[in-house]
Amino acid sequence: MRHRRPEDRRPPWGVRRTVFSGLVPLVVLFGWFTLAIRLGLPSAEPVGFLPFVFVAFAALVGFGRWLARAGILLALLGLLPVLAVLLGGWTATGDEILLSRGKPVVVLVSAESAHRLKAGLAYTYDVRNPDGSTDSLEPGVGTRLPVGSQVTVVEDPDRLVAPQLAGRQDPAVPLVFACLGTASLVAVVVSTAVAGERRRVRNATTR
């Protein structure tokens, strides 16, 4: 009876190549998201993520073409998961930091600016701290603060995170969105890698 050599038990090269081609874009993308969230934490508004979203979209197009000649398809399928990971991860991380080490501070509302979102009208405020320094405060859609009033906010002593109104810190919901976005993005990238490997094998066997 012929015994299989140990090397025969290793997964075929096609499996290893599929795993590798799926891991590469995921590692690159989630490294990019981590950098974006770290740089975006001091801001009270998520508009700073737009350049990161554009780069992620371009990266998905490139990875899609490399994996299965389906660049635009992968980018379109991955766009909403990218937004969920970035916004959910940014909000959940900021909330968790403020919950763990934030300090309540009474600040003076010094100026107001309005901007319209799909969810409604949102306001951004310039606030002055007791030491005279200034910060930007985003209280959330539909919340309006009188200019000249004093409000209690939670501030990170190291100023790593933008201040928030006291009592608004709840990382659970945004963390769920970030996790769903992560799972969806992993699923579409892995599916594209598998489809690309099957196409490669099919084309190789029909020549």
Side-chain angles (χ1 to χ4, degrees), residues 154-165:
V154 179
E155 289 186 350
D156 174 31
D158 296 330
R159 300 294 179 89
L160 177 63
V161 184
Q164 296 180 19
L165 287 178

Side-chain angles (χ1 to χ4, degrees), residues 186-203:
V186 169
V188 296
V189 170
V190 170
S191 299
T192 305
V194 171
E197 180 61 18
R198 287 179 175 176
R199 175 181 293 178
R200 188 198 65 81
V201 172
R202 184 169 60 250
N203 291 340

Side-chain angles (χ1 to χ4, degrees), residues 18-33:
T18 303
V19 172
F20 174 78
S21 61
L23 281 177
V24 168
L26 290 174
V27 170
V28 171
L29 286 171
F30 285 107
W32 182 247
F33 298 154

Side-chain angles (χ1 to χ4, degrees), residues 43-47 90 113 115 117 121-127 135-143 145 153 162-165 168:
S43 174
E45 300 182 50
V47 293
W90 171 65
S113 60
H115 46 277
L117 304 176
L121 197 62
Y123 299 91
T124 301
Y125 294 92
D126 294 332
V127 297
D135 275 311
S136 182
L137 176 65
E138 179 83 25
V141 177
T143 301
L145 305 175
V153 300
Q164 296 180 19
L165 287 178
R168 295 293 182 90

Side-chain angles (χ1 to χ4, degrees), residues 31-99:
W32 182 247
F33 298 154
T34 301
L35 175 63
I37 292 171
R38 173 62 182 83
L39 295 178
L41 282 175
S43 174
E45 300 182 50
V47 293
F49 285 127
L50 288 178
F52 291 94
V53 173
F54 292 148
V55 172
F57 186 86
L60 285 170
V61 171
F63 285 131
R65 289 179 59 85
W66 173 52
L67 294 174
R69 299 178 185 176
I72 296 297
L73 178 61
L74 179 59
L76 293 176
L77 290 176
L79 183 58
L80 286 180
V82 164
L83 292 174
V85 172
L86 282 175
L87 297 180
W90 171 65
T91 305
T93 302
D95 285 352
E96 185 58 40
I97 290 175
L98 291 177
L99 279 174

Side-chain angles (χ1 to χ4, degrees), residues 84 174-184:
L175 185 60
V176 169
F177 278 101
C179 291
L180 290 176
T182 298
S184 299

